[in-house]
Amino acid sequence: ALINMQTGHAKNFGWASGGSSILSEFGTLHMEFAYLSDITGNPIYREMVEKIRKFIKSVARPNRLYPNYLHPKTGKWGQQHTSVGALGDSFYEYLLKEWLRSGKRDADAKALFDEAATDIEEMLIQTSPGGLTYIAEMKYGRLEHKMDHLACFAGGMYGLAAKEE
């Protein structure tokens, strides 16, 4: 998102599915604002991002997956494109990390992570003809058999989740 610090006017990037917000930003903002509340003692920052998380939890997910775009005015998912790589990566990563950062008290983050991780395993993890495992993307209900380089963190994410379980 772009914010004019002088006027306070905010807008999303024009290229982001008709001015939609980006999924990875939700995860990043949640962790940063929750931490800001922790270190300042002011709950307002956490309360602001909890509203976003509560809304995301309430919106039906196409094919049980989170699309990369959510329109802030309509509350509807934008392009039906799901990726654990660019535009989606931090959402998943920071659900797990926020649960850990909270001392494993953020049950919502853990539940959202567990559900998303399971759905990614069932819907997106594929094996190539040569026996290599990769995380595909989904566009409009169809698998795209490619793995974005930014999805390479996922192995570590799943490993961390297993270690901390």
Side-chain angles (χ1 to χ4, degrees), residues 2 5 9-10 12 20 33 38 43 54 67-68 71 79-81 84 93-94 110 115 121 123 141 159 161:
L2 305 168
M5 299 303 279
H9 177 75
N12 286 319
S20 290
F33 278 54
D38 289 348
K54 184 178 178 181
N68 291 337
H71 199 282
Q79 288 178 11
Q80 303 298 299
H81 175 211
V84 179
E93 176 185 6
Y94 289 164
K110 179 68 163 83
E115 183 178 45
E121 287 175 41
M123 305 294 291

Side-chain angles (χ1 to χ4, degrees), residues 9-162:
H9 177 75
K11 68 178 184 175
N12 286 319
F13 298 103
W15 54 262
S17 188
S20 290
S21 297
I22 300 169
L23 183 65
S24 61
E25 290 179 336
F26 302 147
T28 302
L29 289 173
H30 194 281
M31 189 171 194
E32 291 171 353
F33 278 54
Y35 181 66
L36 190 56
S37 280
D38 289 348
I39 63 173
T40 64
N42 187 343
I44 189 71
Y45 307 110
R46 177 180 279 106
E47 291 167 2
M48 290 167 37
V49 291
E50 285 296 333
K51 289 178 188 176
I52 297 168
R53 185 188 278 173
K54 184 178 178 181
F55 183 79
I56 289 172
K57 284 173 45 175
S58 74
V59 180
R61 298 175 295 143
N63 300 306
R64 300 180 2 230
L65 299 168
Y66 290 101
N68 291 337
Y69 302 104
L70 183 68
H71 199 282
K73 291 189 177 23
T74 66
K76 296 189 184 310
W77 295 111
Q79 288 178 11
Q80 303 298 299
H81 175 211
T82 297
S83 172
V84 179
L87 307 175
D89 52 353
S90 297
F91 176 74
Y92 306 105
E93 176 185 6
Y94 289 164
L95 286 172
L96 175 62
K97 288 182 177 176
E98 180 56 19
W99 174 66
L100 294 171
R101 193 199 66 77
S102 73
K104 299 183 179 179
R105 291 184 312 272
D106 188 340
D108 280 343
K110 179 68 163 83
L112 284 168
F113 173 79
D114 286 347
E115 183 178 45
T118 298
D119 293 340
I120 288 166
E121 287 175 41
E122 292 175 2
M123 305 294 291
L124 298 179
I125 294 185
Q126 303 290 307
T127 304
S128 74
L132 301 175
T133 301
Y134 64 98
I135 302 176
E137 297 185 7
M138 186 168 285
K139 284 190 179 176
Y140 297 98
R142 294 178 49 134
L143 281 179
E144 285 209 342
H145 293 278
K146 69 177 196 80
M147 181 171 165
D148 186 294
H149 73 284
L150 292 177
C152 291
F153 80 96
M157 177 183 73
Y158 277 97
L160 180 61

